[in-house]
Amino acid sequence: MTDRYCVFGHPIGHSKSPAIHAAFAEQTGETLEYTAIEVPLDDFAGAWRRFVEAGGRGANVTVPFKETAYRLCDALTPRAERAGAVNTLILEADGRTRGDTTDGAGLVGDLKRRGVTLSGARILVLGAGGAVRGVLEPLLAEAPARLHIANRTADKADGLAADFADLGRVSGGGFESVEGPFDVVINGTSASLGGDLPPLPNDLFAPGATAYDMMYGAEPTVFLRWAAERDAATIDGLGMLVGQAAESFCLWRGVRPDVDPVLGALRRAL
């Protein structure tokens, strides 16, 4: 029987994950089936159980189920436990479900592929939701000089900074707390989806700085357009998407695919 994998979400019709994993399978010679499954908002556990009963071996998890998946797992990797969210489910040989999160690895890997230096850098992360929580540990593992989390609700950013304070020099506050310059600015808010921009100072970027948006599209996001006008190098989140998928694929199959050709094909198709 062909091993089955999927991505769970709501909605999920827009997902590029089936195409990404099909390309990984062809590249590596792995035989598998990967589909997208839209899950009722109140039945994530049931959807996973039915998928496993039908031969499922693992799944990716996207919004709005990452925290639900975290609670479903029998075991968690240290990085998933720290993040409080899971984007990768792995069915173990004994039938237990192990959860991991690969978003942070996808982000850091993409930044490094693009030549962005994180060690010793001044990093600003915008937002304090699940997307940000999942990337803080890998970012802090790169030993930045400082990492500041800015969010519309200051208390949420403060709390998130406190949760990760044992890993490095990290602080939090409202958008009014932002005092540059920064070498790397990462937008982890959902503002780009609505074409909005967080209230940010014009002197945000140090010379040679990089602006990264976790969102992506055929055209630059409003955040990336704003950053480019202030002479920052800009990167969208498509490489993070493919990078986190490659990490999940490796967890399931034990082989790491090459991200670059798959990323290039996706970029051309946008």
Side-chain angles (χ1 to χ4, degrees):
M1 180 186 295
T2 300
D3 290 344
R4 296 185 62 202
Y5 301 88
C6 74
V7 56
F8 290 124
H10 185 106
I12 200 60
H14 65 287
S15 176
K16 299 186 184 304
S17 292
I20 292 170
H21 285 276
F24 287 162
E26 181 178 6
Q27 180 193 114
T28 59
E30 293 288 307
T31 301
L32 57 88
E33 174 187 313
Y34 189 107
T35 56
I37 298 177
E38 184 160 316
V39 179
L41 292 174
D42 60 353
D43 194 28
F44 180 83
W48 170 243
R49 184 184 66 253
R50 290 188 292 273
F51 184 67
V52 169
E53 290 171 350
R57 299 291 305 277
N60 286 127
V61 183
T62 188
V63 293
F65 297 115
K66 292 184 181 183
E67 292 181 2
T68 306
Y70 173 87
R71 294 190 294 271
L72 170 106
C73 292
D74 301 305
L76 296 162
T77 63
R79 62 186 178 182
E81 190 162 7
R82 169 75 78 160
V86 158
N87 82 332
T88 305
L89 296 174
I90 304 149
L91 184 68
E92 303 282 29
D94 61 3
R96 300 172 79 229
T97 299
R98 178 162 57 95
D100 201 349
T101 179
T102 65
D103 288 331
L107 170 65
V108 170
D110 193 35
L111 286 164
K112 288 183 170 182
R113 278 194 304 275
R114 301 295 291 267
V116 178
T117 299
L118 298 174
S119 176
R122 296 161 294 181
I123 299 176
L124 172 65
V125 180
L126 305 174
V132 168
R133 189 175 189 94
V135 304
L136 290 178
E137 182 179 17
L139 284 171
L140 289 166
E142 296 298 315
R146 61 178 290 223
L147 189 152
H148 185 71
I149 305 162
N151 189 55
R152 196 171 302 276
T153 306
D155 287 349
K156 194 169 183 181
D158 287 335
L160 198 53
D163 288 346
F164 288 83
D166 60 310
L167 299 182
R169 188 181 172 198
V170 55
S171 57
F175 288 127
E176 71 282 355
S177 71
V178 173
E179 293 183 3
F182 291 93
D183 304 300
V184 181
V185 180
I186 299 168
N187 182 25
T189 73
S190 58
S192 291
L193 294 175
D196 296 324
L197 183 72
L200 300 169
N202 285 318
D203 59 352
L204 189 64
F205 300 104
T210 297
Y212 192 102
D213 200 322
M214 291 187 188
M215 303 299 171
Y216 66 90
E219 301 296 330
T221 66
V222 63
F223 169 72
L224 293 183
R225 292 197 302 271
W226 180 86
E229 290 169 358
R230 286 151 183 81
D231 298 323
T234 59
I235 307 173
D236 72 12
L238 189 62
M240 176 181 173
L241 173 70
V242 181
Q244 64 81 25
E247 186 82 2
S248 294
F249 190 93
C250 186
L251 290 170
W252 294 326
R253 309 301 296 182
V255 58
R256 186 174 300 279
D258 185 358
V259 166
D260 288 337
V262 179
L263 177 56
L266 278 180
R267 180 74 66 191
R268 291 188 294 271
L270 284 179

